[in-house]
């Protein structure tokens, strides 16, 4: 940390948004902080605390604490707006008390790192006089999409409530794949739900705009500098961006799962031929594809005699044809939740049919697996555009009829150059040089934090 050293201000509080794809990279970031000599404290809503604490850090060096949330106990809500209410109405006062307790009279907290989707915690940090950095768990391009909202309103691409006003390409980064207004992450559900989601994002942007730092769980594209930078085409008041990912490669701790993993998936895979199995998972956040599409995909796999492992929770199995599970016991395996990294790294898995969530994308890349893409919501459409158009390590599917599935798998597995592209992208994102770059960016952030806090005599001294 240059010529700075920590006094008692060695604790860094991390506040993730309470979804699987947000908690996992935040846990890996906590591990990176631990390796730098900090004492990470991960604070989550009460309802997920007991679900993740055992896997957060088996050695017990990462402290995990909970704040009340007003949600029903022993229930993982899938409703975006129920969680938003908990984060806005129940969390802030409890979090502020906890932060002040941890900080104490000696200023033990060096910094708070807050997931931008948990933006109410940014205001808590400011009230407590604690330096605060933002955390973006996805790729830089999706942050840029949110940061570009004012420009999209100004140019008439969207209304001031987020509704697309005209079709047209969106390009906010150099060499970005072409996106359309239908790819915007708040366009989910009914018109009222879309308006509420857009309000969530504009509030998030407003709270985060004056942050000094933003840690991004991503890697530099060729068109951007490796060093921390201001984003192109955004105002000087935006935070400095430190690309410190993909954090999924810090695999020395197990992903803290909200659900019990079905380990029999691995035993089943041991009996399959190499690269013969399609792994299917549409993530943990939204209802995946609807009952009609579940039925269509199920029948296509059965007709093709295609071996598969399908992550499908009990609430989402209504779409399976009657007697389906009994008919496909030898062909495939349906599980409520799988140990995803272990499955993806198994030699029997040939490709991954995915919703294109960012963590799933990076875990597939880490496992060198080809991707069948079917984005469902949020940032997944942007990720899909990069996977298919820019990186060319996957194929987008338009539906789940037998013809769609057959053509998708055939196109994916018969692309003889895809393995080469996968390996090149793997080296650029997961290799030794990429890891050194990410850790160097993290170190630069620490130096910047030290300089600021030392300047104002807050928590660090030379």
């Amino acid at each position: 940390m240059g010529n700075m050293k920590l006094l008692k201000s060695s604790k860094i509080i991390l506040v993730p948004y309470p979804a699987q794809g947000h908690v996992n990279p935040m846990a890996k970031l906590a591990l990176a902080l631990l390796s730098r000599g900090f004492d990470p404290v991960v604070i989550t809503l009460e309802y997920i605390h007991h679900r993740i604490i055992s896997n957060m850090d088996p050695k017990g060096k990462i402290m995990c604490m909970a704040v009340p949330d007003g949600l029903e106990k022993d229930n993982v809500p899938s409703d975006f707006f129920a969680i938003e209410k908990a984060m806005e109405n129940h969390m802030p006062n409890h979090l502020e008390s906890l932060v002040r307790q941890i900080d104490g009279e000696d200023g033990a907290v060096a910094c708070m790192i807050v997931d931008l989707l948990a933006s109410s915690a940014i205001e808590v940090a400011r009230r407590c006089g604690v330096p605060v950095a933002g955390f973006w768990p996805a790729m830089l391009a999706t942050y840029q999409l949110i940061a570009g909202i004012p420009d999209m309103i100004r140019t008439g691409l969207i209304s001031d409530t987020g509704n697309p006003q005209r079709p047209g390409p969106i390009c906010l980064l150099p060499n970005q794949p072409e996106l359309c207004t239908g790819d915007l992450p708040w366009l989910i559900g009914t018109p009222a739900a879309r308006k509420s989601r857009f309000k969530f994002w504009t509030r998030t942007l407003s709270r985060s705009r004056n942050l000094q730092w933003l840690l991004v769980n991503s890697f530099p594209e060729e068109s951007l500098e490796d060093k921390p930078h201001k984003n192109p085409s955004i105002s000087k008041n935006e935070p400095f961006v430190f690309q410190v990912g993909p954090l999924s490669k810090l695999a020395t701790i197990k992903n803290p799962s909200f659900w019990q993993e079905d380990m029999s998936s691995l035993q089943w895979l041991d009996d399959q031929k190499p690269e013969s199995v399609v792994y299917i998972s549409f993530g943990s956040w939204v209802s995946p594809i609807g009952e009609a599409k579940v039925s269509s995909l199920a029948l296509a796999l059965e007709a093709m005699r295609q071996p598969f492992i399908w992550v499908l929770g009990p609430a989402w199995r209504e779409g399976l044809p009657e007697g389906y599970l009994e008919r496909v016991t030898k062909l495939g395996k349906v599980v409520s939740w799988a140990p995803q990294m272990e499955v993806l790294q198994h030699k029997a898995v040939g490709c991954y049919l995915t919703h294109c969530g960012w963590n799933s994308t990076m875990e597939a890349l880490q496992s060198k697996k080809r991707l069948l893409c079917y984005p469902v919501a949020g940032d997944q459409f942007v990720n899909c555009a990069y996977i298919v158009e820019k990186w060319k390590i996957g194929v987008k599917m338009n539906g789940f009829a037998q013809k769609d599935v057959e053509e998708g798998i055939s196109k994916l597995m018969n692309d003889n150059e895809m393995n080469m592209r996968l390996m090149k992208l793997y080296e650029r994102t997961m290799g030794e040089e990429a890891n050194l770059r990410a850790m160097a960016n993290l170190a630069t952030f620490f130096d910047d934090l030290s300089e600021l806090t030392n300047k104002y005599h807050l928590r660090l001294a030379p």
Side-chain angles (χ1 to χ4, degrees):
M1 255 187 224
N3 63 352
M4 303 291 179
K5 65 179 182 178
L6 290 170
L7 293 177
K8 287 191 174 182
S9 48
S10 61
K11 289 185 170 64
I12 292 185
I13 294 174
L14 301 99
V15 184
Y17 181 80
Q20 189 77 68
H22 294 247
V23 172
N24 286 358
M26 192 72 97
K28 300 296 177 69
L29 178 59
L31 188 70
L33 295 172
L34 191 64
S35 71
R36 295 282 303 180
F38 288 97
D39 298 318
V41 182
V42 179
I43 299 179
T44 58
L45 296 186
E46 200 169 42
Y47 83 92
I48 64 167
H49 177 69
H50 71 282
R51 293 176 179 270
I52 65 172
I53 189 169
S54 60
N55 287 333
M56 181 67 75
D57 175 25
K59 296 182 180 179
K61 293 183 178 179
I62 298 175
M63 184 181 297
C64 298
M65 304 182 78
V67 292
D69 48 39
L71 296 166
E72 294 181 17
K73 305 306 177 192
D74 301 319
N75 179 42
V76 177
S78 58
D79 180 64
F80 173 84
F81 298 107
I83 292 178
E84 180 189 18
K85 182 178 178 182
M87 300 290 283
E88 290 294 318
N89 299 339
H90 291 273
M91 184 184 77
N93 288 340
H94 296 291
L95 178 61
E96 183 171 345
S97 297
L98 194 54
V99 171
R100 293 188 185 280
Q101 175 187 328
I102 296 169
D103 201 33
E105 295 182 359
D106 55 0
V109 178
C111 179
M112 281 177 65
I113 300 176
V114 175
D115 189 320
L116 293 193
L117 275 75
S119 63
S120 62
I122 295 173
E123 297 187 330
V124 170
R126 288 170 175 159
R127 288 199 298 271
C128 293
V130 173
V132 57
F135 178 69
W136 187 254
M139 70 186 305
L140 178 61
T142 55
Y143 168 74
Q144 185 67 24
L145 201 59
I146 301 302
I149 285 174
D151 281 343
M152 285 188 272
I153 294 175
R154 180 179 54 80
T155 58
L157 195 63
I158 61 174
S159 71
D160 57 6
T161 57
N163 287 323
Q165 296 300 288
R166 54 182 171 84
I170 301 172
C171 191
L172 299 171
L173 288 173
N175 302 319
Q176 183 187 57
E178 186 173 298
L179 307 173
C180 68
T181 49
D183 296 330
L184 295 172
W186 53 85
L187 298 179
I188 306 169
T190 65
R194 293 180 174 203
K195 186 176 180 180
S196 294
R197 287 176 183 272
F198 183 71
K199 183 178 179 181
F200 169 88
W201 282 117
T202 54
R203 183 181 61 216
T204 297
L205 182 62
S206 175
R207 287 172 174 169
S208 62
R209 189 171 288 283
N210 292 321
L211 288 171
Q212 183 153 345
W213 312 286
L214 179 65
L215 306 179
V216 180
N217 180 26
S218 186
F219 52 90
E221 289 297 313
E222 296 91 338
S223 57
L224 296 175
E225 298 177 87
D226 284 356
K227 63 184 180 182
H229 62 279
K230 294 279 187 182
N231 279 315
S233 78
I234 58 178
S235 76
K236 62 183 180 181
N237 293 325
E238 290 288 333
F240 272 98
V241 173
F242 298 83
Q243 297 195 75
V244 298
L247 290 161
S248 58
K249 62 179 176 282
L250 294 175
T252 54
I253 61 170
K254 186 175 177 62
N255 284 337
S257 178
F258 290 12
W259 293 273
Q260 184 67 39
E261 296 171 332
D262 189 336
M263 302 306 290
S264 67
S265 306
L266 302 177
Q267 299 168 351
W268 184 86
L269 283 170
D270 288 340
D271 296 329
Q272 309 306 313
K273 295 178 181 178
E275 299 187 358
S276 65
V277 176
V278 176
Y279 172 60
I280 305 165
S281 176
F282 296 101
S284 61
W285 184 236
V286 294
S287 180
I289 54 177
E291 290 185 14
K293 291 176 182 175
V294 166
S295 177
S296 182
L297 176 57
L299 292 173
L301 294 168
E302 184 179 19
M304 293 165 56
R305 304 305 298 166
Q306 173 63 55
F308 66 88
I309 285 185
W310 191 349
V311 176
L312 198 64
W316 298 340
R317 295 184 188 181
E318 295 298 321
L320 292 176
E322 187 175 352
Y324 184 80
L325 294 177
E326 292 75 20
R327 295 200 307 268
V328 299
T329 51
K330 292 184 179 179
L331 178 66
K333 189 171 181 63
V334 177
V335 297
S336 296
W337 198 245
Q340 181 157 291
M341 272 303 295
E342 291 94 327
V343 169
L344 284 172
Q345 291 177 340
H346 199 286
K347 64 181 181 180
V349 173
C351 64
Y352 176 16
L353 173 49
T354 173
H355 62 315
C356 303
W358 183 244
N359 283 289
S360 292
T361 299
M362 290 298 97
E363 288 172 354
L365 178 57
Q366 186 177 353
S367 306
K368 305 183 187 71
K369 291 296 190 282
R370 305 175 184 217
L371 295 166
L372 277 171
C373 301
Y374 194 86
V376 177
D379 67 337
Q380 297 160 17
F381 296 99
V382 181
N383 300 338
C384 177
Y386 273 82
I387 292 165
V388 175
E389 299 173 30
K390 187 172 180 64
W391 302 329
K392 301 184 187 304
I393 60 169
V395 171
K396 186 176 181 180
M397 295 182 63
N398 295 317
F400 295 113
Q402 184 175 340
K403 181 181 178 182
D404 295 321
V405 180
E406 285 180 340
E407 286 182 354
I409 293 176
S410 176
K411 186 176 180 181
L412 193 71
M413 301 311 291
N414 291 327
D415 185 335
N416 295 326
E417 296 182 0
M418 191 171 287
N419 275 347
M420 186 182 302
R421 293 193 293 271
L422 263 171
M423 285 304 301
K424 285 184 178 179
L425 187 60
Y426 172 87
E427 285 302 320
R428 188 161 72 83
T429 59
M430 307 281 178
E432 182 178 354
E433 183 178 337
N435 187 60
L436 290 173
R437 181 184 61 223
M439 295 308 290
N441 283 349
L442 202 55
T444 303
F445 161 66
F446 294 143
D447 287 342
D448 204 19
L449 171 65
S450 298
E451 184 178 349
L452 176 75
T453 50
N454 181 66
K455 178 179 178 181
Y456 292 99
H457 307 287
L458 292 177
R459 288 162 172 77
L460 303 178

